[in-house]
């Protein structure tokens, strides 16, 4: 009980933090206006490499591996083999651990090398995301056993937070690409289009997974009906008919 109260307090605190980060104050509004009218960022070869590495790390984390982890754990509900379920579960855990490590590396890179005034939307959302990215695996490791009272609440919290991180993370990648174009004057249209194609493909797979399980269930039900009809339509009859003549 105490464990879940602490987890609830932790979630409430995290929500307060993100609200504070995303709520624009007057100071932030003025600084953001000055940020927008600032001179374009002069890219040196070193800074250009750092920006590309930062973008790759965060895309591979919240834009690829975390959504892949969601698809893997959803796929486990459509398989019947216990071995396959276990394999998909461990692949889910592995992908999320790697995603957290990559996101942490991207955070360290940005904090140590970039401007960190947090006076623009991309930086504020990114800061909040770093906190939730670390909170999510903590909630995952606190998973209660099946049949326990708080299992449903844990599942809903873990699922909502995971989906939220993926959606907000992908949105922040788009915002980062737009910020890159504004600050450098260079086009990121190709990367925006590629990201859109990837997101659309993952969204299609996510929506198709539920429909596929329905199709499989209907096919199994139809096959069962055919087998039952075949066993009752043609019963074995080895007795000869006896005709009684009056």
């Amino acid at each position: 009980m105490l464990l879940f109260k602490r987890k609830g307090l932790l979630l409430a605190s995290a929500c307060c933090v993100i609200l504070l980060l995303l709520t624009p104050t007057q100071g932030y509004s003025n600084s953001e206006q000055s940020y927008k009218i600032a001179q374009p960022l002069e890219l040196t070869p070193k800074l250009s490499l750092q920006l590309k590495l930062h973008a790759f790390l965060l895309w591979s984390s919240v834009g690829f591996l975390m959504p892949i982890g969601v698809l893997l754990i959803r796929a486990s509900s459509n398989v019947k083999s216990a071995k396959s379920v276990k394999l998909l579960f461990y692949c889910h855990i592995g992908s999320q651990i790697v995603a957290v490590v990559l996101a942490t590396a991207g955070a360290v890179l940005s904090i140590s090398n970039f401007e960190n005034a947090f006076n623009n939307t991309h930086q504020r959302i990114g800061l909040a995301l770093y906190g939730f990215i670390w909170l999510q695996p903590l909630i995952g490791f606190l998973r209660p056993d099946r049949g326990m009272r708080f299992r449903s609440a844990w599942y809903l919290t873990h699922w909502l937070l995971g989906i939220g991180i993926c959606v907000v993370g992908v949105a922040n990648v788009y915002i980062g690409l737009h910020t890159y174009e504004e600050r450098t004057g260079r086009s990121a249209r190709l990367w925006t289009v590629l990201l859109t194609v990837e997101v659309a493909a993952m969204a299609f797979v996510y929506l198709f997974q539920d429909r596929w399980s329905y199709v499989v269930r209907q096919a199994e039900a139809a096959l069962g009906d055919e087998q039952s009809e075949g066993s009752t339509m043609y019963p074995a009859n080895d007795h000869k008919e006896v005709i009684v003549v009056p």
Side-chain angles (χ1 to χ4, degrees), residues 98-115:
V98 175
V100 170
V101 172
L102 293 176
T104 304
V108 172
L109 178 65
S110 62
I111 292 173
S112 60
N113 294 284
F114 303 152
E115 300 174 356

Side-chain angles (χ1 to χ4, degrees), residues 49-67 95-114 122 130 133 169 173:
L49 178 61
Q50 290 172 344
L51 286 172
K52 291 177 182 178
L53 182 58
H54 171 76
F56 173 77
L57 289 172
L58 271 299
W59 164 80
S60 59
S61 174
V62 297
F64 183 73
L65 286 175
M66 287 190 178
S95 65
Q96 302 311 285
I97 290 175
V98 175
V100 170
V101 172
L102 293 176
T104 304
V108 172
L109 178 65
S110 62
I111 292 173
S112 60
N113 294 284
F114 303 152
H122 179 66
Y130 293 145
I133 286 171
V173 174

Side-chain angles (χ1 to χ4, degrees), residues 4 143-156:
F4 288 101
R143 178 183 59 163
D145 295 331
R146 292 183 182 275
M148 291 187 64
R149 181 180 177 183
F150 295 99
R151 174 76 181 197
S152 298
W154 170 87
Y155 174 82
L156 183 61

